[in-house]
């Protein structure tokens, strides 16, 4: 299907049928000129930048705990040999993050010292403001443009210190009972097709220049009489004595007709059962959520998911997967798996005790419930086991277990130049075309 160009015109909403009327254009011009006069009273979200300081951009493409060594920083041009490491700061989206800096106590960044921090790849949360409303965005798991996020490392010129992560360690002297499980999520995203979202006009030939309802990346579309299929794998060490697993399926409609689809799950594609239907219209999304049975998952840890595209009253139909997410309870036997997010349920005692079996060698645990201020959790280890007391569990906590630190894909000097909007009396007119082709799926 040929995708229509998305066009932004400064003085009009351009469609294939022409420009807006003069009165509308005049209103737009007046609004723009008024906005220019308000620039001096606005905040521009760059207050975190001190233009007297040096900044270094760190490119992140994977979630996890990262380490920056002396040599890595020196090779990037960061002045490790001449600064007090206690002054080092890390920023993400304008907020300073707490970091761990090994060896900073002596005020010197020595060759064996290093920085560690928790970072996440780019997701769709930064796209939300591009949409006509936040609710128009199908989901925030996937970014429209890139998986790579940017963190910025700098150092203060004053005597103030940067933010540092806290540490917690406590032996289980209170005899807290072992937690039996944590919540695990398996997420499958689909991004092979770009869905332009809602269309308008008598021939549905008009799309907004803004990101509109239901617009975003999806999987390939299936037509009436066809099916969408996926097998979720590696569903292991589940705790079947408590709550049932939960499945979420987000579907996208791909034409202007009504849609009807039946959803099946089972231990294999040969043993499926129906769990419900999805009925929705035009370019809409449909989020299907339900509990499933443990018997739907095979002994080898597989769950087959199928969506049959039925259509309505014999009409054509097009439906695609946007994402599938499975949520279930996992025991604390990790079977050697690394880089695991553990969502710990609340404990009225205010502390929890976990005993992790078969972790990867040299694993550590960070509490990333608040990723701006993570905490390093001290552990006890024995053969094929580690244990820890987790504080502040009167609410759910999110832990991250990792054995090997990650290395950023790129560290490079960043140049920020101060711009005072009141010094400028013009705006730039520009056109964006085929914005959905800016990212390769």
């Amino acid at each position: 299907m040929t995708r229509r160009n998305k066009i932004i015109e400064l003085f009009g909403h351009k469609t294939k049928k022409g420009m807006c009327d003069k009165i509308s254009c005049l209103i737009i011009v007046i609004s723009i000129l008024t906005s220019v006069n308000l620039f001096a009273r606005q905040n521009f979200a760059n207050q975190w930048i001190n233009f007297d300081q040096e900044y270094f951009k760190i490119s992140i493409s994977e979630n996890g705990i990262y380490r920056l060594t002396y040599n890595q920083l020196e090779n990037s041009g960061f002045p490790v040999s001449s600064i007090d490491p206690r002054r080092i700061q890390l920023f993400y989206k304008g907020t300073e993050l707490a970091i761990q800096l090994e060896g900073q106590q002596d005020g010197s960044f020595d060759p064996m010292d290093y920085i560690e921090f928790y970072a996440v790849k780019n997701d769709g949360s930064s796209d939300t403001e591009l949409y006509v409303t936040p609710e128009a965005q199908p989901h925030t798991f996937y970014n429209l443009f890139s998986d790579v996020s940017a963190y910025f490392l700098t150092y203060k010129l004053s005597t103030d210190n940067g933010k540092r992560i806290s540490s917690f360690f406590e032996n289980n002297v209170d005899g807290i009972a072992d937690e039996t499980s944590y919540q695990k999520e398996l997420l499958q995203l689909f991004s092979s097709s770009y869905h332009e979202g809602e269309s308008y006009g008598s021939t549905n030939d008009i799309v907004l220049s803004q990101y509109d309802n239901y617009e975003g990346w999806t999987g390939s579309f299936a037509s009436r009489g066809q099916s969408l299929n996926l097998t979720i794998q590696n569903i292991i060490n589940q705790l079947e004595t408590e709550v049932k697993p939960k499945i979420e399926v987000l579907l996208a409609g791909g034409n202007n007709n009504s849609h009807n689809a039946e959803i099946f799950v089972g231990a294999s594609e040969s043993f499926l059962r129906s769990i419900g239907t999805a009925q929705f219209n035009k370019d809409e999304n449909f989020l299907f959520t339900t509990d499933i049975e443990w018997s739907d998952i095979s002994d080898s840890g597989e769950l087959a998911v199928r969506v049959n595209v039925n259509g309505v009253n014999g009409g054509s139909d097009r439906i695609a997967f946007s994402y599938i997410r499975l949520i279930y309870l996992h025991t604390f036997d990790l079977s050697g798996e690394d880089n695991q997010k553990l969502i710990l349920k609340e404990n009225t005692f205010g502390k929890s005790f976990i005993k992790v079996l078969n972790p990867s060698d040299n694993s550590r645990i960070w509490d990333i419930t608040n990723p701006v201020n993570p905490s390093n959790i001290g552990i006890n280890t024995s053969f094929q086991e580690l244990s820890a007391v987790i504080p502040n569990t009167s609410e759910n906590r999110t832990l991250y277990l990792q054995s090997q630190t990650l290395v950023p894909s790129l560290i490079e000097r960043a140049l920020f130049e101060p711009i005072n909007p009141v010094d400028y009396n013009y705006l730039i007119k520009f056109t964006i075309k085929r914005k959905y082709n800016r990212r390769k799926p």
Side-chain angles (χ1 to χ4, degrees):
M1 176 181 178
T2 301
R3 294 294 182 180
R4 294 185 287 277
N5 288 352
K6 297 268 184 164
I7 301 175
I8 295 178
E9 289 287 341
L10 186 60
F11 298 122
H13 306 300
K14 189 171 182 180
T15 71
K16 293 183 178 180
K17 299 184 183 294
M19 300 291 288
C20 69
D21 60 83
K22 293 182 180 180
I23 294 177
S24 298
C25 291
L26 179 60
I27 293 173
I28 294 172
V29 173
I30 294 173
S31 298
I32 292 172
L33 295 177
T34 303
S35 298
V36 171
N37 291 329
L38 293 175
F39 278 168
R41 298 196 296 272
Q42 292 181 349
N43 292 324
F44 295 95
N46 63 353
Q47 289 81 3
W48 63 277
I49 300 173
N50 183 335
F51 292 101
D52 294 327
Q53 296 180 186
E54 283 190 294
Y55 289 83
F56 291 78
K57 178 183 173 182
I58 303 170
S59 297
I60 299 295
S61 56
E62 183 179 355
N63 297 349
I65 301 170
Y66 284 77
R67 176 176 290 188
L68 305 177
T69 66
Y70 181 98
N71 288 337
Q72 289 171 325
L73 292 171
E74 186 178 49
N75 291 338
S76 71
F78 194 87
V80 283
S81 61
S82 60
I83 64 169
D84 186 334
R86 293 171 293 186
R87 313 293 185 248
I88 292 177
Q89 299 174 284
L90 182 70
F91 287 87
Y92 178 54
K93 294 183 177 180
T95 299
E96 184 178 1
L97 308 182
I99 61 177
Q100 181 165 290
L101 212 157
E102 182 66 27
Q104 70 169 4
Q105 295 85 351
D106 60 2
S108 172
F109 205 126
D110 302 316
M112 298 303 293
D113 296 345
Y114 55 84
I115 300 170
E116 289 186 340
F117 60 97
Y118 178 77
V120 295
K121 67 180 181 180
N122 203 20
D123 63 17
S125 59
S126 57
D127 296 333
T128 304
E129 293 186 3
L130 300 176
Y131 282 81
V132 290
T133 65
E135 295 75 24
Q137 186 177 21
H139 62 81
T140 60
F141 294 128
Y142 193 70
N143 190 271
L144 292 170
F145 303 101
S146 172
D147 289 330
V148 180
S149 57
Y151 287 66
F152 292 92
L153 192 71
T154 186
Y155 54 93
K156 291 187 176 185
L157 302 177
S158 66
T159 57
D160 296 330
N161 293 337
K163 290 182 65 174
R164 298 295 178 260
I165 72 170
S166 60
S167 296
F168 175 88
F169 174 76
E170 185 176 293
N171 288 313
N172 189 14
V173 295
D174 295 319
I176 306 170
D178 299 8
E179 293 292 324
T180 58
S181 64
Y182 65 90
Q183 180 178 297
K184 177 153 186 174
E185 300 182 0
L186 297 177
L187 177 66
Q188 177 66 55
L189 293 170
F190 298 84
S191 57
S192 60
S193 301
Y194 193 87
H195 181 46
E196 62 190 0
E198 194 165 6
S199 57
Y200 303 88
S202 59
T203 59
N204 296 299
D205 200 35
I206 300 173
V207 290
L208 295 186
S209 56
Q210 291 175 280
Y211 288 84
D212 203 3
N213 295 310
Y214 324 120
E215 183 172 356
W217 292 98
T218 70
S220 299
F221 283 87
S223 301
R224 181 169 63 89
Q226 298 178 333
S227 63
L228 302 166
N229 293 278
L230 176 77
T231 298
I232 303 173
Q233 300 177 326
N234 202 34
I235 310 169
I236 60 174
N237 298 331
Q238 58 267 35
L239 185 67
E240 300 185 10
T241 58
E242 298 187 21
V243 299
K244 295 179 180 181
K246 177 181 179 181
I247 192 170
E248 295 178 359
V249 181
L250 183 64
L251 300 173
N255 62 20
N256 287 295
N257 294 336
S258 296
H259 309 291
N260 179 278
E262 189 169 9
I263 302 166
F264 299 82
V265 296
S268 73
E269 292 187 0
S270 301
F271 296 95
L272 297 171
R273 69 180 184 90
S274 175
I275 57 173
T277 59
Q279 298 188 33
F280 54 114
N281 297 308
K282 298 185 177 181
D283 301 302
E284 294 175 356
N285 290 160
F286 187 94
L287 180 60
F288 179 87
T289 303
T290 190
D291 291 341
I292 62 173
E293 302 296 332
W294 287 110
S295 57
D296 293 323
I297 300 170
S298 72
D299 293 338
S300 59
E302 294 186 344
L303 174 69
V305 182
R306 175 177 294 169
V307 173
N308 287 346
V309 182
N310 300 324
V312 176
N313 296 327
S316 63
D317 204 348
R318 296 179 75 244
I319 294 176
F321 282 137
S322 288
Y323 76 79
I324 299 176
R325 179 164 64 163
L326 181 70
I327 303 170
Y328 68 99
L329 292 183
H330 192 292
T331 70
F332 279 96
D333 185 351
L334 297 188
S335 299
E337 290 187 295
D338 199 8
N339 304 321
Q340 295 296 300
K341 179 185 287 188
L342 318 179
I343 302 175
L344 201 62
K345 63 184 177 182
E346 63 184 35
N347 188 324
T348 55
F349 184 70
K351 293 180 183 178
S352 298
F353 179 66
I354 63 172
K355 187 179 292 183
V356 179
L357 304 179
N358 301 307
S360 297
D361 293 340
N362 304 313
S363 291
R364 87 274 294 280
I365 297 176
W366 281 22
D367 185 335
I368 58 167
T369 307
N370 178 2
V372 173
N373 292 294
S375 175
N376 188 355
I377 304 296
I379 61 175
N380 287 310
T381 60
S382 59
F383 179 66
Q384 295 184 339
E385 179 181 299
L386 67 81
S387 61
V389 173
I390 311 299
N392 305 315
T393 55
S394 55
E395 60 182 11
N396 294 346
R397 310 300 297 180
T398 301
L399 310 179
Y400 201 82
L401 187 144
Q402 184 174 318
S403 64
Q404 301 294 324
T405 53
L406 303 176
V407 178
S409 56
L410 182 65
I411 307 174
E412 58 184 341
R413 192 185 303 272
L415 179 62
F416 295 124
E417 295 184 0
I419 297 176
N420 186 355
V422 299
D423 293 337
Y424 299 87
N425 60 2
Y426 61 87
L427 294 173
I428 298 175
K429 174 184 176 181
F430 62 94
T431 299
I432 297 177
K433 292 185 176 181
R434 296 191 182 276
K435 64 191 175 192
Y436 31 79
N437 289 334
R438 294 187 173 213
R439 171 176 181 143
K440 293 181 180 180

